[in-house]
Amino acid sequence: MEATGERLILNAGFTTEAEAEHLERYRYACRFAAGATVVDVACGSGYGSKMLADAGAVSVLGMDVSAEAVAHAAAQYPAPNLTFQVGDAQDLKAVPSDSVDLVVSFETIEHLPDVDRYLDEMRRILKPGGQYVVSTPDVRLSTVLYPLVSRPSNPYHVREYAARDFRAMLEKRFEIVEFAGQNYVKNFWVFWPWQVLVRGVCRLLRPIEKRRLISKVYFVGTGFAVEAQSRHPRSVARFWVVRCRKPGGA
């Protein structure tokens, strides 16, 4: 399977930063996988589903709309408690209602035309009290000129969200357990003219100098770790990682 700009394949030429971001999100989700029945929605190439299986899940079902991705995942990551299946995140008809302890769905919601249907499915398949771990980029950092343009900069994305909108959308169906993020940026740098300046300067620098500038000036310094928003109240995360719970249960 060929790597694409939106489907990470480990050791397939992606930058170290891109791999680190993806892996840290799954490491965060793995904290809640032990003893759980898990569905990894939009599992891509399957490495994250395997991490969840290795973290002690009773079973993991990795689902992706791409048959090619599912075939790759099944071939690369065999495990007795792990299966892969083709499935649409907006219509998980193969998964019974109230049957899953943990749903993981990273970098999915911004790709979908029918977000309400997708969120209804996430809630439907979870048991009462079950957890849903979801991530998405913040529009203020992923689409630099977002106040002036009608679509995300990323051609694969349908819609992107700021933190307030993302939280409000999730709270309509779930209880927020932890609102966290990766790669926090000081509010000062979120103003789009400053971002244009920093990114323009970065284009003129060598890779090592670029990373040094970004780490010292742009990001708060948390690296790729998933950390609660409450620890960085005057910052915006490049990616929001939110742990929710379906109402009900013990």
Side-chain angles (χ1 to χ4, degrees):
M1 182 176 71
E2 293 184 359
T4 73
E6 289 294 289
R7 183 171 290 121
L8 177 70
I9 302 173
L10 295 184
N11 305 312
F14 281 80
T15 65
T16 301
E17 290 84 358
E19 288 196 359
E21 287 169 348
H22 284 73
L23 290 172
E24 283 299 326
R25 285 193 281 273
Y26 272 106
R27 290 189 182 108
Y28 175 78
C30 283
R31 302 179 196 174
F32 318 107
T37 300
V38 182
V39 176
D40 185 12
V41 178
C43 66
S45 62
Y47 65 92
S49 300
K50 181 61 160 59
M51 291 172 66
L52 292 163
D54 290 344
V58 172
S59 66
V60 178
L61 172 60
M63 304 190 77
D64 198 276
V65 72
S66 167
E68 183 185 15
V70 167
H72 170 91
Q76 291 294 315
Y77 301 107
N81 59 339
L82 175 58
T83 57
F84 294 96
Q85 184 175 324
V86 175
D88 183 346
Q90 299 161 117
D91 187 12
L92 300 176
K93 59 185 70 176
V95 184
S97 300
D98 303 316
S99 64
V100 178
D101 297 306
L102 174 65
V103 175
V104 177
S105 187
F106 291 144
E107 306 306 293
T108 308
I109 196 168
E110 65 273 11
H111 294 265
L112 302 175
D114 194 340
V115 171
D116 285 332
R117 188 177 177 191
Y118 159 76
L119 290 172
D120 286 343
E121 281 292 88
M122 300 302 99
R123 179 181 166 114
R124 178 187 67 79
I125 66 176
L126 277 171
K127 298 175 182 177
Q131 297 191 90
Y132 167 47
V133 183
V134 57
S135 71
T136 198
D138 192 294
V139 64
R140 293 166 290 180
L141 295 173
S142 57
T143 299
V144 175
L145 299 178
Y146 78 96
L148 309 177
V149 297
S150 58
R151 285 190 57 83
S153 297
N154 189 319
Y156 297 100
H157 293 181
V158 175
R159 182 183 174 188
E160 295 171 345
Y161 306 89
R164 180 183 300 176
D165 298 328
F166 192 41
R167 179 189 286 271
M169 183 169 59
L170 293 173
E171 286 179 333
K172 291 179 180 179
R173 295 170 176 84
F174 303 98
E175 300 169 354
I176 303 293
V177 179
E178 183 174 35
F179 202 94
Q182 293 175 288
N183 290 130
Y184 284 92
V185 174
K186 297 174 184 177
N187 282 341
F188 175 81
W189 292 109
V190 174
F191 187 41
W192 67 265
W194 290 118
Q195 290 196 63
V196 171
L197 174 63
V198 171
R199 296 184 189 207
V201 171
C202 284
R203 289 198 183 111
L204 302 175
L205 301 175
R206 292 179 299 174
I208 293 177
E209 294 170 337
K210 175 182 175 180
R211 285 194 292 270
R212 186 177 297 129
L213 173 67
I214 290 175
S215 64
K216 289 188 176 181
V217 176
Y218 200 56
F219 292 126
V220 171
T222 59
F224 304 107
V226 176
E227 296 192 346
Q229 183 187 31
S230 59
R231 296 185 60 181
H232 307 282
R234 291 182 292 277
S235 301
V236 173
R238 184 180 175 200
F239 295 96
W240 296 113
V241 183
V242 186
R243 182 162 58 100
C244 309
R245 180 182 293 120
K246 179 177 176 177

XYZ file of all heavy atoms in Angstrom, residues 88-152:
514
model
N -17.665 2.145 6.994
C -17.844 3.588 6.890
C -18.094 4.159 8.277
O -19.017 3.717 8.986
C -19.032 3.881 5.970
C -19.263 5.360 5.719
O -18.686 6.195 6.439
O -20.046 5.684 4.808
N -17.292 5.135 8.684
C -17.427 5.725 10.020
C -18.796 6.330 10.254
O -19.220 6.480 11.408
C -16.356 6.799 10.221
N -19.520 6.658 9.200
C -20.846 7.253 9.323
C -21.956 6.203 9.357
O -23.124 6.550 9.522
C -21.086 8.216 8.146
C -20.090 9.357 8.098
C -20.030 10.007 6.730
O -20.347 11.180 6.592
N -19.630 9.257 5.709
N -21.582 4.922 9.205
C -22.582 3.850 9.182
C -21.918 2.532 9.550
O -21.598 1.715 8.684
C -23.223 3.759 7.797
C -24.389 2.767 7.761
O -24.835 2.334 8.842
O -24.833 2.434 6.652
N -21.725 2.316 10.845
C -21.039 1.119 11.334
C -22.040 -0.005 11.578
O -22.196 -0.501 12.694
C -20.262 1.450 12.612
C -19.179 2.527 12.463
C -18.547 2.827 13.813
C -18.123 2.105 11.456
N -22.724 -0.404 10.536
C -23.826 -1.365 10.663
C -23.363 -2.712 11.199
O -24.174 -3.448 11.768
C -24.511 -1.542 9.322
C -23.630 -2.031 8.187
C -24.373 -2.063 6.868
C -24.661 -0.671 6.384
N -25.307 -0.661 5.039
N -22.089 -3.038 11.052
C -21.591 -4.330 11.522
C -21.367 -4.364 13.033
O -21.141 -5.434 13.600
C -20.286 -4.677 10.809
N -21.421 -3.200 13.686
C -21.161 -3.131 15.130
C -22.482 -2.966 15.862
O -23.198 -1.976 15.644
C -20.226 -1.957 15.466
C -19.894 -1.951 16.962
C -18.947 -2.031 14.632
N -22.841 -3.901 16.755
C -24.119 -3.791 17.475
C -24.160 -2.577 18.399
O -23.130 -2.075 18.853
C -24.170 -5.094 18.289
C -23.210 -6.022 17.629
C -22.126 -5.150 17.065
N -25.341 -2.119 18.678
C -25.533 -1.014 19.613
C -25.135 -1.432 21.025
O -25.273 -2.602 21.410
C -26.995 -0.561 19.606
O -27.388 -0.124 18.328
N -24.614 -0.495 21.795
C -24.290 -0.698 23.218
C -23.375 -1.900 23.431
O -23.560 -2.673 24.373
C -25.579 -0.881 24.030
C -26.535 0.279 23.883
O -26.078 1.432 23.935
O -27.744 0.041 23.702
N -22.363 -2.044 22.573
C -21.533 -3.256 22.634
C -20.050 -2.987 22.864
O -19.281 -3.937 23.029
C -21.682 -4.042 21.324
O -21.175 -3.296 20.226
N -19.627 -1.729 22.905
C -18.199 -1.399 22.889
C -17.836 -0.589 24.132
O -18.565 0.312 24.543
C -17.851 -0.600 21.612
C -16.383 -0.206 21.598
C -18.205 -1.391 20.359
N -16.692 -0.938 24.734
C -16.202 -0.200 25.902
C -15.435 1.063 25.514
O -15.475 2.066 26.236
C -15.264 -1.082 26.728
C -15.947 -2.304 27.294
O -16.981 -2.135 27.964
O -15.450 -3.427 27.057
N -14.711 0.996 24.397
C -13.836 2.101 24.001
C -13.856 2.249 22.487
O -13.597 1.283 21.761
C -12.398 1.836 24.474
C -11.314 2.819 24.027
C -11.543 4.200 24.625
C -9.918 2.289 24.408
N -14.164 3.454 22.018
C -14.044 3.793 20.604
C -12.916 4.795 20.456
O -12.867 5.812 21.164
C -15.349 4.397 20.042
C -15.140 4.852 18.605
C -16.482 3.383 20.105
N -11.995 4.510 19.550
C -10.889 5.408 19.236
C -11.076 5.861 17.790
O -11.295 5.037 16.899
C -9.532 4.693 19.405
C -8.386 5.612 18.997
C -9.361 4.215 20.840
N -10.994 7.165 17.566
C -11.209 7.687 16.208
C -10.381 8.952 16.029
O -10.822 10.053 16.349
C -12.699 7.974 15.981
O -12.950 8.326 14.640
N -9.174 8.767 15.499
C -8.241 9.878 15.372
C -8.229 10.436 13.955
O -8.192 9.685 12.976
C -6.828 9.421 15.748
C -6.660 9.111 17.214
C -5.837 8.079 17.636
C -7.327 9.845 18.184
C -5.670 7.793 18.981
C -7.164 9.567 19.536
C -6.338 8.536 19.924
N -8.222 11.752 13.860
C -8.124 12.452 12.583
C -9.144 11.916 11.578
O -8.818 11.594 10.432
C -6.698 12.314 12.008
C -5.605 12.737 12.958
C -5.793 14.140 13.493
O -5.695 15.083 12.716
O -6.051 14.294 14.695
N -10.395 11.837 12.040
C -11.482 11.303 11.221
C -12.548 12.348 10.957
O -12.980 12.544 9.812
C -12.142 10.101 11.941
O -11.154 9.160 12.331
C -13.174 9.432 11.048
N -12.971 13.024 11.992
C -14.167 13.860 11.939
C -14.063 14.972 10.909
O -15.065 15.351 10.277
C -14.487 14.405 13.351
C -15.914 14.934 13.417
C -13.463 15.436 13.788
C -16.370 15.219 14.836
N -12.851 15.474 10.692
C -12.679 16.581 9.738
C -12.806 16.133 8.277
O -12.915 16.962 7.371
C -11.327 17.270 9.953
C -10.117 16.419 9.668
C -9.658 15.590 10.856
O -10.398 15.511 11.864
O -8.551 15.020 10.777
N -12.822 14.829 8.043
C -12.928 14.287 6.683
C -14.370 14.003 6.254
O -14.598 13.698 5.081
C -12.151 12.970 6.594
C -10.677 13.116 6.754
N -9.804 13.240 5.690
C -9.902 13.155 7.871
C -8.569 13.344 6.138
N -8.600 13.302 7.458
N -15.314 14.061 7.179
C -16.635 13.500 6.922
C -17.668 14.550 6.517
O -17.764 15.604 7.134
C -17.122 12.766 8.169
C -16.205 11.637 8.657
C -16.731 11.068 9.960
C -16.066 10.549 7.593
N -18.498 14.224 5.527
C -19.558 15.159 5.122
C -20.750 15.184 6.068
O -21.455 16.179 6.153
C -19.967 14.652 3.735
C -19.590 13.210 3.729
C -18.363 13.097 4.585
N -20.983 14.073 6.779
C -22.141 13.993 7.680
C -21.657 13.731 9.100
O -21.675 12.595 9.586
C -23.095 12.889 7.219
C -24.463 12.978 7.886
O -24.557 13.632 8.946
O -25.431 12.394 7.352
N -21.229 14.779 9.769
C -20.641 14.647 11.103
C -21.685 14.215 12.130
O -21.392 13.425 13.039
C -19.964 15.969 11.514
C -19.543 15.935 12.974
C -18.755 16.224 10.628
N -22.911 14.708 12.020
C -23.954 14.319 12.963
C -24.203 12.813 12.916
O -24.345 12.157 13.956
C -25.255 15.058 12.658
C -25.221 16.515 13.105
O -24.484 16.820 14.062
O -25.907 17.341 12.492
N -24.244 12.268 11.732
C -24.458 10.827 11.585
C -23.295 10.041 12.188
O -23.493 9.030 12.856
C -24.621 10.492 10.100
C -25.037 9.063 9.808
C -25.225 8.875 8.315
N -25.562 7.498 7.980
C -25.571 7.019 6.751
N -25.264 7.817 5.735
N -25.873 5.761 6.526
N -22.085 10.523 11.953
C -20.898 9.887 12.525
C -20.948 9.889 14.048
O -20.739 8.857 14.694
C -19.657 10.619 12.019
C -18.413 10.450 12.845
C -17.665 9.284 12.795
C -17.963 11.483 13.678
C -16.506 9.139 13.547
C -16.809 11.354 14.422
C -16.088 10.179 14.358
O -14.943 10.041 15.111
N -21.241 11.032 14.656
C -21.282 11.113 16.112
C -22.409 10.272 16.690
O -22.260 9.677 17.773
C -21.412 12.573 16.547
C -20.177 13.448 16.310
C -20.486 14.905 16.602
C -19.003 12.968 17.155
N -23.528 10.206 15.992
C -24.616 9.329 16.432
C -24.159 7.871 16.452
O -24.519 7.115 17.361
C -25.825 9.474 15.510
C -26.587 10.773 15.723
O -26.395 11.408 16.779
O -27.366 11.153 14.825
N -23.357 7.489 15.457
C -22.849 6.117 15.415
C -21.863 5.853 16.551
O -21.876 4.772 17.156
C -22.179 5.845 14.066
C -23.141 5.571 12.939
C -23.870 4.259 13.131
O -24.938 4.267 13.792
O -23.395 3.217 12.648
N -21.003 6.811 16.846
C -20.059 6.639 17.950
C -20.815 6.418 19.264
O -20.469 5.535 20.058
C -19.143 7.866 18.086
C -18.288 8.186 16.863
S -17.194 6.864 16.320
C -18.159 6.157 14.957
N -21.848 7.194 19.469
C -22.646 7.050 20.690
C -23.428 5.734 20.686
O -23.520 5.051 21.709
C -23.596 8.245 20.835
C -24.484 8.161 22.071
C -25.413 9.345 22.175
N -26.449 9.087 23.156
C -26.605 9.734 24.294
N -25.762 10.693 24.611
N -27.590 9.448 25.117
N -23.968 5.371 19.538
C -24.803 4.160 19.458
C -24.032 2.903 19.823
O -24.524 2.049 20.572
C -25.357 4.014 18.033
C -26.216 2.749 17.835
C -26.609 2.537 16.397
N -25.485 2.223 15.522
C -24.910 1.021 15.427
N -25.326 0.005 16.172
N -23.896 0.824 14.602
N -22.809 2.761 19.313
C -22.095 1.499 19.520
C -21.487 1.394 20.915
O -21.177 0.287 21.365
C -21.015 1.280 18.446
C -19.891 2.302 18.551
C -21.647 1.293 17.050
C -18.743 2.067 17.575
N -21.338 2.512 21.608
C -20.762 2.469 22.955
C -21.760 1.956 23.981
O -22.944 2.283 23.939
C -20.300 3.864 23.380
C -18.936 4.330 22.898
C -18.740 5.808 23.226
C -17.811 3.500 23.503
N -21.250 1.204 24.939
C -22.043 0.855 26.105
C -22.270 2.116 26.947
O -21.460 3.040 26.897
C -21.300 -0.178 26.969
C -21.011 -1.504 26.295
C -20.171 -2.387 27.210
C -19.812 -3.700 26.553
N -18.936 -4.529 27.428
N -23.321 2.175 27.735
C -23.448 3.281 28.688
C -22.212 3.351 29.584
O -21.777 2.336 30.139
C -24.700 2.912 29.480
C -25.503 2.075 28.531
C -24.492 1.266 27.755
N -21.628 4.500 29.677
C -20.389 4.653 30.427
C -19.139 4.390 29.612
O -18.024 4.607 30.090
N -19.301 3.913 28.366
C -18.160 3.654 27.504
C -17.470 4.937 27.075
O -18.066 6.021 27.086
N -16.200 4.820 26.682
C -15.392 5.992 26.374
C -15.122 6.132 24.870
O -14.961 5.142 24.161
C -14.061 5.936 27.124
C -14.214 5.964 28.637
C -12.904 6.184 29.350
O -12.511 7.310 29.620
N -12.228 5.098 29.670
N -15.056 7.370 24.444
C -14.807 7.732 23.046
C -13.635 8.705 23.039
O -13.698 9.769 23.654
C -16.077 8.377 22.485
C -15.980 9.102 21.177
C -15.341 8.553 20.066
C -16.577 10.357 21.034
C -15.301 9.238 18.866
C -16.544 11.050 19.828
C -15.906 10.483 18.747
O -15.873 11.173 17.552
N -12.546 8.324 22.369
C -11.349 9.162 22.296
C -11.202 9.627 20.856
O -11.059 8.815 19.932
C -10.090 8.400 22.754
C -8.882 9.331 22.732
C -10.283 7.830 24.160
N -11.235 10.939 20.664
C -11.307 11.519 19.328
C -10.307 12.664 19.212
O -10.021 13.342 20.201
C -12.749 12.014 19.042
C -13.195 13.020 20.089
C -12.895 12.593 17.634
N -9.768 12.867 18.014
C -8.842 13.980 17.812
C -9.150 14.687 16.504
O -9.745 14.110 15.585
C -7.389 13.485 17.793
O -7.116 12.758 16.611
N -8.709 15.943 16.429
C -8.861 16.740 15.214
C -7.913 17.925 15.286
O -7.584 18.387 16.387
C -10.320 17.213 15.041
O -10.550 17.610 13.690
C -10.651 18.368 15.961
N -7.448 18.439 14.150
C -6.615 19.640 14.186
C -7.447 20.885 14.460
O -8.628 20.939 14.118
C -6.026 19.691 12.765
C -7.034 18.993 11.918
C -7.612 17.906 12.787
N -6.837 21.881 15.081
C -7.517 23.159 15.289
C -7.402 23.998 14.018
O -6.309 24.204 13.489
C -6.897 23.916 16.464
C -7.748 25.105 16.893
O -7.878 26.050 16.089
O -8.288 25.087 18.013
N -8.533 24.477 13.526
C -8.567 25.223 12.275
C -7.664 26.448 12.304
O -7.114 26.868 11.274
C -10.026 25.623 11.933
C -10.596 26.583 12.979
C -10.121 26.229 10.536
N -7.469 27.043 13.470
C -6.678 28.260 13.562
C -5.204 28.035 13.266
O -4.476 28.984 12.928
C -6.852 28.891 14.947
C -8.254 29.410 15.201
C -8.489 29.704 16.666
N -8.547 28.484 17.466
C -8.740 28.473 18.778
N -8.873 29.619 19.440
N -8.800 27.326 19.433
N -4.769 26.759 13.378
C -3.381 26.430 13.079
C -3.237 25.631 11.787
O -2.209 25.703 11.125
C -2.763 25.645 14.245
C -2.653 26.422 15.556
C -2.181 25.516 16.682
C -1.706 27.601 15.410
N -4.246 24.846 11.453
C -4.134 24.013 10.256
C -4.479 24.769 8.978
O -3.963 24.463 7.908
C -5.028 22.780 10.383
O -6.375 23.153 10.597
N -5.368 25.758 9.088
C -5.703 26.604 7.942
C -5.379 28.043 8.329
O -6.190 28.723 8.962
C -7.191 26.449 7.560
O -7.435 25.091 7.193
C -7.557 27.356 6.396
N -4.194 28.487 7.952
C -3.663 29.752 8.456
C -4.584 30.924 8.140
O -4.822 31.789 8.975
C -2.249 29.997 7.874
C -1.736 31.363 8.299
C -1.298 28.914 8.344
N -5.117 30.971 6.941
C -5.976 32.090 6.529
C -7.455 31.755 6.726
O -8.299 32.207 5.958
C -5.697 32.443 5.065
C -4.270 32.893 4.750
C -4.118 33.154 3.260
C -3.901 34.139 5.532
N -7.768 30.976 7.782
C -9.136 30.494 7.945
C -10.185 31.614 8.037
O -11.325 31.413 7.611
C -9.238 29.572 9.175
C -9.293 30.279 10.499
C -10.514 30.549 11.109
C -8.139 30.683 11.156
C -10.574 31.210 12.327
C -8.191 31.338 12.366
C -9.408 31.598 12.943
O -9.470 32.263 14.136
N -9.874 32.816 8.557
C -10.934 33.840 8.566
C -11.283 34.340 7.172
O -12.333 34.946 6.971
C -10.328 34.974 9.403
C -9.157 34.381 10.112
C -8.657 33.318 9.198
N -10.395 34.078 6.201
C -10.562 34.661 4.876
C -10.959 33.646 3.807
O -11.286 34.048 2.683
C -9.253 35.343 4.440
C -8.644 36.336 5.440
C -7.325 36.867 4.908
C -9.614 37.468 5.720
N -10.891 32.353 4.143
C -11.192 31.317 3.150
C -12.363 30.480 3.616
O -12.657 30.391 4.810
C -9.959 30.421 2.891
C -8.825 31.237 2.313
C -9.509 29.715 4.172
N -13.032 29.832 2.683
C -14.233 29.063 3.010
C -13.965 27.586 3.220
O -14.838 26.868 3.731
C -15.280 29.228 1.897
O -14.755 28.799 0.650
N -12.788 27.089 2.837
C -12.470 25.678 2.970
C -11.127 25.498 3.657
O -10.265 26.391 3.590
C -12.439 24.997 1.604
C -13.809 24.736 1.001
C -13.688 23.853 -0.235
N -13.029 22.581 0.060
C -13.646 21.522 0.560
N -14.940 21.579 0.840
N -12.995 20.402 0.784
N -10.913 24.340 4.293
C -9.608 24.066 4.900
C -8.494 24.064 3.857
O -8.721 23.772 2.678
C -9.794 22.670 5.511
C -11.261 22.512 5.690
C -11.893 23.260 4.568
